[in-house]
Amino acid sequence: MGENRGWSGQATVDRLSRRSMLIFMLLALVAICTYLLLAGETSDERASAAEINYAGKRRMLSQRIGLLSAEYLRTQQAEELSELAAALRQIEDIHATLRHGDPQRGLRPPHSAELKARYQGPQGLDATMASFLALGSTLLRQASNGEDYRASAEALIHLSRGELLTALDQLVDLYQRESEASTDTLRLLLWCALLAGLGLFALAAFGVLRPLIAQVRHSLEEQEASETALRQAVEKNQLILQAAGEGIFGVDRNGRISFANPAATALLGRDSGQLGDLESHHAIMHGGGSCPICQVLADGGTPRRSEGQFSRPGNAADFPVEYTVAPRADGEGAVISFRDISEQRAAQAKLQRFQQRLVDAIEALDDAFTLFDSDDRLTQYNLRFTETFPLRGEVIRLGMRFSEFVRAIAEQQLYTVPDERLDDWIDERMAMHQRAEGSSEIPLGDGRWLRVTERRTREGGTLVIWSDVSDLKQARIAADQANQAKSEFMARMSHELRTPLNAILGFAQVLDHNGKTRLSADQQECVSHILLGGHHLLALINELLDLAAIEAGHLQVAMEEFALAPLLQECIALVSPQAADRQVRLTSADTAGVHVRGDGKRLKQVLLNLLSNGIKYNRVGGQLTLMLGQTTGGIRLSVADTGHGIAPDLARRVFLPFDRLGTSHGEGTGIGLSITRRMVELMGGQIGFDSELGVGTTFWIELDAATSESPIASRIPAPAAPAPEQPAPPALPCVVAIGLEAAETETLRLIVSTLRDIRLITAANLAEAHAVIAAQGCRAVVAEPALARQLLAELPSTDSRRPFVIALGERPLVHASEPRIHHWHPKPMKVREIARTLREATA
């Protein structure tokens, strides 16, 4: 019915348009005809006026010529003769113009028979004007030649006042009569045009408009009925909006919110007026060029469904929503319906945590774990599985059958199976797998043994666990060999070092306590140094013999608070002879009144070791400086030498036991720094070093300060507290590897393959890494330490999108190491440890 009413109204409007166009065309035709007629008559009217004007001028000039001739007869002045010549030329021009016409001036030649008769013939104006002009020319010539001109002048005056004047007056009257006749014709045409226009208007009013007005009135009544029905429909829709549980709001083409239902205002925390005052919908949601609402407003098309974050005013946090954007049919905006999915997200997060705990539990297993479904297809495995069976990534894949896996590892000769028995062995292995009743041990080709345990699941699948039992078989042999080596080492050190050292100490004590022979002061000082150094060396030997106890965690330290100055003086006194022998200058900071917490005996051993190394590896004539500094809540002691320095590639080997950094000469066995680090760590401190080739090396240790007030706190400025890091926003699940070797990359790829919805992207350089971080939103970066530092230096410290950075290398034991590196992982890569770290970083 509504369509019929719409069609009727449209037909009425179409008829009105067609008839109005017809009337308009008739009016336009009448107007054009009237214009053409009036234009011609108006042109004739203007020409008549111009002709009357010129005829009047001609008459006046004829009289002026007569007056000038009479005046010249009386005065004979040359000026009057010149004016007479000019007047004659002017009247001649005007007469020629009236006689022949001038289109530029709007003048016509004589067009009526009466005018032509007045100009032509022996008695016409042309002959009279010719006689008049000839008399004027004769007068001018005679006056110029000095001849008698009186007769010519009198004849000219007589003609201008008589016959010529009469003829010119008659012509002026004739021009006026013809102009009046033209004016009457023009007036008649105007009346005709007016009557024609009134007739057409009457026809339009009564013949066209009146019926159409009736039809329009009928259409308006139908429209009013349609509007009533529409109003009722709007009220029903309003009730639906009011009762809807989902939030619904509309936006115009500019993105401004035009309406919102109560559910939307409640969820958004704003009433309808506040929502309407917002500049655009971006005030309540995060968006931009990829905003689905903006895309629908720009392109239209079908409704779009998406998820996002909507915001509430104040300090309330954003909440996740699922919303649908539907374009309006008229293209003037869109309607958005949304619902809060916070509870759904929380449930998903809870489920994901449960799944992650399960994955963590599986990954924490020391055994290889796999799960096959009821179709005997691989559905899940841990990282230990890929370590146990190091096959290519395309061989081990989710969905492969157990039979395919067994054949693949057999063909790769991971098991000790002869080629001629391959098929039989696979059949036997499959039969055991189908039974899934217990455990069995299988030898590997590299000498290892695996215990295979298989169990059925409730869903009909199979759980398979491979346990490496090779270490159990070799553990006793390895333990016996280690104990024997330790016993031999301790026995040799006790016999080779303690015996001669006890003899040295005995003879020194004899010299020191010999009452028969008095030693000089210098000799007594030397004997004292021998005793002091010998006792210290004996203590070092005893501690060296306790290396096994250190590794086993049996060595104890006696923590106490003590003054630092006496201990430093004693250490300097002990190493002074060695420094003098090497011509190394010793300088020490003022430590008066400074107290630390630690084990004095162990700290003395640590400082003597560092000072001895600083002298031993210094250059001849160099300098060794003992410096004091303060850290947050502690004291730093630094020993700086001016030696050759340590190469960066050797830095990670400095604290390894029995490693002399590739040197074949020099003193010591290479365990001093290893024992030193363990001593410092047992006292709750830290040790590290800074080195520069060709400049020198500075070893430092950090210990806790004594709980009592220490004067050093007033002399050394405390370092600024590090600024708290901003939490990074969630990004796409991606791990980026930078500058790793091929084997490391492949191992890392296997690790990442066990993580849920995580992929590995390798970057050849830092530029590619930055592009991936910006575009992909990576969660973690694994790189060499130098590349990790450079990457962090190029990333803003306040950037919330900074990924979790893992430096693949030995952590530098220097105080100024990069604090923004989240995790240091030594080489070779420990698979389970880095897998656990990546799971935490990408969760």
Side-chain angles (χ1 to χ4, degrees):
M1 181 177 178
E3 295 180 357
N4 294 333
R5 286 196 295 266
W7 180 86
S8 176
Q10 184 65 36
T12 301
V13 172
D14 292 341
R15 285 198 301 272
L16 179 60
S17 300
R18 289 194 297 269
R19 295 183 183 183
S20 299
M21 182 61 68
L22 179 60
I23 294 172
F24 173 77
M25 293 176 61
L26 291 175
L27 288 175
L29 182 60
V30 171
I32 292 172
C33 295
T34 303
Y35 172 77
L36 294 176
L37 293 175
L38 293 179
E41 293 298 328
T42 303
S43 177
D44 292 342
E45 185 68 19
R46 285 198 301 269
S48 299
E51 291 167 356
I52 294 173
N53 184 26
Y54 269 73
K57 287 183 179 181
R58 184 173 57 181
R59 178 182 179 282
M60 292 175 62
L61 283 174
S62 67
Q63 291 181 339
R64 178 174 174 76
I65 291 171
L67 293 174
L68 289 174
S69 299
E71 189 66 24
Y72 184 72
L73 284 176
R74 186 174 61 84
T75 60
Q76 290 88 33
Q77 292 183 359
E79 293 80 358
E80 295 175 350
L81 191 63
S82 299
E83 291 180 4
L84 178 61
L88 287 172
R89 287 194 299 274
Q90 188 175 2
I91 197 174
E92 184 178 7
D93 291 339
I94 290 175
H95 179 74
T97 301
L98 287 172
R99 185 67 180 85
H100 303 290
D102 189 350
Q104 295 181 353
R105 299 177 183 177
L107 297 176
R108 303 169 295 178
H111 53 282
S112 64
E114 188 175 359
L115 279 174
K116 292 179 180 180
R118 291 296 182 91
Y119 278 99
Q120 298 173 359
Q123 302 298 324
L125 183 59
D126 289 342
T128 306
M129 183 58 69
S131 300
F132 183 76
L133 293 174
L135 287 174
S137 299
T138 302
L139 175 61
L140 292 176
R141 177 174 52 76
Q142 290 176 349
S144 299
N145 295 333
E147 299 177 0
D148 186 11
Y149 57 85
R150 291 182 178 274
S152 300
E154 290 177 354
L156 184 61
I157 294 170
H158 176 73
L159 187 58
S160 65
R161 294 178 179 176
E163 183 180 353
L164 181 59
L165 180 59
T166 301
L168 292 177
D169 287 339
Q170 292 176 352
L171 281 174
V172 170
D173 293 339
L174 183 58
Y175 277 120
Q176 288 179 347
R177 287 197 303 273
E178 290 187 354
S179 176
E180 291 173 356
S182 177
T183 301
D184 294 339
T185 303
L186 180 60
R187 187 177 296 110
L188 178 61
L189 290 175
L190 288 174
W191 276 104
C192 293
L194 176 61
L195 293 176
L198 291 176
L200 288 175
F201 276 116
L203 176 63
F206 294 99
V208 178
L209 297 179
R210 186 174 180 180
L212 290 178
I213 288 172
Q215 295 178 4
V216 169
R217 183 180 295 109
H218 180 68
S219 298
L220 291 176
E221 292 174 353
E222 293 181 347
Q223 182 180 356
E224 183 177 358
S226 300
E227 290 177 352
T228 301
L230 178 61
R231 191 181 308 109
Q232 295 175 353
V234 169
E235 292 175 354
K236 291 180 181 178
N237 291 335
Q238 190 68 26
L239 290 175
I240 294 174
L241 290 177
Q242 296 290 333
E246 292 188 352
I248 301 174
F249 64 90
V251 295
D252 58 16
R253 291 185 59 84
N254 297 322
R256 292 178 63 92
I257 298 178
S258 56
F259 72 89
N261 70 338
T265 58
L267 289 173
L268 297 175
R270 298 178 175 92
D271 56 28
S272 298
Q274 292 174 334
L275 291 174
D277 292 337
L278 299 178
E279 293 185 359
S280 70
H281 62 278
H282 291 298
I284 64 170
M285 67 176 295
H286 301 293
S290 59
C291 172
I293 298 178
C294 296
Q295 293 176 356
V296 169
L297 292 176
D299 305 333
T302 59
R304 302 190 184 187
R305 190 181 186 89
S306 182
E307 292 185 1
Q309 296 280 335
F310 281 11
S311 63
R312 298 186 180 97
N315 297 325
D318 295 350
F319 61 97
V321 296
E322 182 182 66
Y323 60 96
T324 302
V325 186
R328 286 171 47 178
D330 56 4
E332 293 300 323
V335 177
I336 298 93
S337 62
F338 67 96
R339 62 187 182 93
D340 189 348
I341 58 173
S342 301
E343 295 182 358
Q344 178 182 345
R345 287 282 182 86
Q348 291 176 352
K350 186 176 181 180
L351 177 60
Q352 186 175 3
R353 287 195 299 272
F354 289 155
Q355 293 175 345
Q356 189 65 39
R357 289 175 187 173
L358 177 60
V359 172
D360 291 341
I362 294 174
E363 289 294 340
L365 293 175
D366 290 333
D367 303 326
F369 172 90
T370 56
L371 180 63
F372 293 85
D373 59 13
S374 57
D375 294 331
D376 213 15
R377 295 184 180 275
L378 181 63
T379 60
Q380 190 173 1
Y381 61 92
N382 65 350
L383 189 59
R384 186 65 175 173
F385 174 72
T386 61
E387 297 175 3
T388 305
F389 303 102
L391 302 176
R392 298 190 305 274
E394 62 269 16
V395 175
I396 297 180
R397 65 188 185 281
L398 294 177
M400 69 180 304
R401 293 186 178 275
F402 184 82
S403 58
E404 298 174 356
F405 163 71
V406 170
R407 180 171 293 277
I409 59 177
E411 291 176 350
Q412 294 289 332
Q413 297 182 352
L414 296 180
Y415 288 149
T416 56
V417 181
D419 293 339
E420 60 274 10
R421 290 198 67 252
L422 180 61
D423 293 335
D424 296 337
W425 183 89
I426 292 176
D427 293 339
E428 295 173 1
R429 180 68 185 89
M430 288 301 300
M432 183 178 64
H433 175 72
Q434 294 298 329
R435 291 193 301 269
E437 295 176 349
S439 301
S440 60
E441 294 183 354
I442 301 176
L444 297 182
D446 57 0
R448 293 182 297 148
W449 283 77
L450 293 180
R451 178 185 292 119
V452 183
T453 304
E454 298 177 296
R455 293 288 187 273
R456 291 293 184 191
T457 64
R458 294 182 180 181
E459 292 80 10
T462 307
L463 178 68
V464 185
I465 298 177
W466 286 270
S467 304
D468 190 344
V469 296
S470 302
D471 294 339
L472 297 178
K473 295 185 177 182
Q474 299 174 359
R476 186 180 299 276
I477 298 174
D480 293 341
Q481 292 176 348
N483 289 332
Q484 183 179 357
K486 183 186 296 184
S487 299
E488 292 176 358
F489 171 75
M490 295 176 63
R492 184 180 298 118
M493 294 300 293
S494 176
H495 177 73
E496 298 294 336
L497 296 178
R498 281 184 177 179
T499 302
L501 182 58
N502 287 330
I504 293 171
L505 290 176
F507 284 113
Q509 290 173 354
V510 170
L511 291 174
D512 187 33
H513 296 89
N514 188 2
K516 297 179 180 181
T517 305
R518 183 176 297 276
L519 301 177
S520 63
D522 291 340
Q523 291 173 339
Q524 186 67 39
E525 183 180 0
C526 291
V527 171
S528 299
H529 284 310
I530 291 173
L531 288 172
L532 187 61
H535 284 297
H536 180 67
L537 182 58
L538 181 59
L540 290 180
I541 292 173
N542 291 332
E543 292 169 0
L544 182 61
L545 294 177
D546 290 336
L547 180 59
I550 292 175
E551 295 297 333
H554 298 158
L555 187 66
Q556 302 295 326
V557 293
M559 300 297 292
E560 59 181 351
E561 297 181 0
F562 56 89
L564 187 61
L567 187 144
L568 293 181
Q569 292 173 1
E570 185 178 354
C571 293
I572 292 175
L574 289 173
V575 299
S576 293
Q578 182 184 2
D581 183 59
R582 297 274 299 179
Q583 300 180 16
V584 175
R585 296 187 303 276
L586 284 174
T587 58
S588 176
D590 181 16
T591 58
V594 180
H595 293 70
V596 297
R597 177 173 175 78
D599 187 327
K601 180 182 178 181
R602 306 302 181 190
L603 181 58
K604 179 181 176 181
Q605 179 181 347
V606 168
L607 291 176
L608 284 176
N609 192 11
L610 295 179
L611 291 171
S612 299
N613 286 343
I615 295 172
K616 184 191 311 181
Y617 297 106
N618 211 326
R619 58 182 174 84
V620 176
Q623 182 167 341
L624 185 65
T625 305
L626 181 60
M627 298 177 291
L628 180 65
Q630 183 180 10
T631 63
T632 304
I635 300 299
R636 166 180 282 205
L637 290 171
S638 302
V639 179
D641 63 44
T642 56
H644 298 289
I646 301 174
D649 57 338
L650 300 177
R652 65 184 182 89
R653 298 165 49 189
V654 169
F655 293 101
L656 296 180
F658 306 105
D659 193 336
R660 301 178 61 187
L661 304 183
T663 60
S664 59
H665 61 279
E667 306 172 4
T669 59
I671 64 174
L673 286 177
S674 176
I675 296 177
T676 298
R677 181 174 67 173
R678 298 302 302 270
M679 294 292 182
V680 174
E681 292 174 351
L682 285 173
M683 290 186 288
Q686 294 181 352
I687 185 172
F689 71 95
D690 301 298
S691 184
E692 185 175 353
L693 288 177
V695 177
T697 304
T698 300
F699 280 86
W700 52 264
I701 59 174
E702 293 180 355
L703 297 173
D704 293 335
T707 55
S708 59
E709 186 68 22
S710 176
I712 192 173
S714 61
R715 303 198 305 268
I716 302 174
E725 295 184 358
Q726 298 295 329
L732 295 176
C734 166
V735 176
V736 179
I738 313 174
L740 302 185
E741 297 180 359
E744 295 171 341
T745 302
E746 187 63 26
T747 302
L748 188 61
R749 190 180 303 279
L750 289 174
I751 295 172
V752 173
S753 69
T754 65
L755 303 179
R756 183 182 180 86
D757 297 330
I758 302 296
R759 65 187 186 282
L760 178 68
I761 298 178
T762 57
N765 49 49
L766 287 176
E768 293 184 7
H770 280 293
V772 173
I773 291 173
Q776 304 290 339
C778 77
R779 298 285 182 84
V781 173
V782 182
E784 293 288 338
L787 292 175
R789 292 192 190 96
Q790 187 175 354
L791 175 69
L792 289 171
E794 296 174 358
L795 288 175
S797 60
T798 58
D799 189 356
S800 61
R801 297 176 301 172
R802 288 189 300 112
F804 188 92
V805 178
I806 300 174
L808 192 60
E810 197 69 33
R811 181 185 182 93
L813 298 176
V814 294
H815 183 63
S817 61
E818 175 56 61
R820 291 189 291 172
I821 294 179
H822 301 84
H823 180 74
W824 291 83
H825 190 86
K827 291 185 178 181
M829 191 182 298
K830 296 180 180 180
V831 177
R832 281 184 290 175
E833 179 180 345
I834 198 170
R836 186 179 301 107
T837 303
L838 286 175
R839 282 199 303 274
E840 296 174 355
T842 59

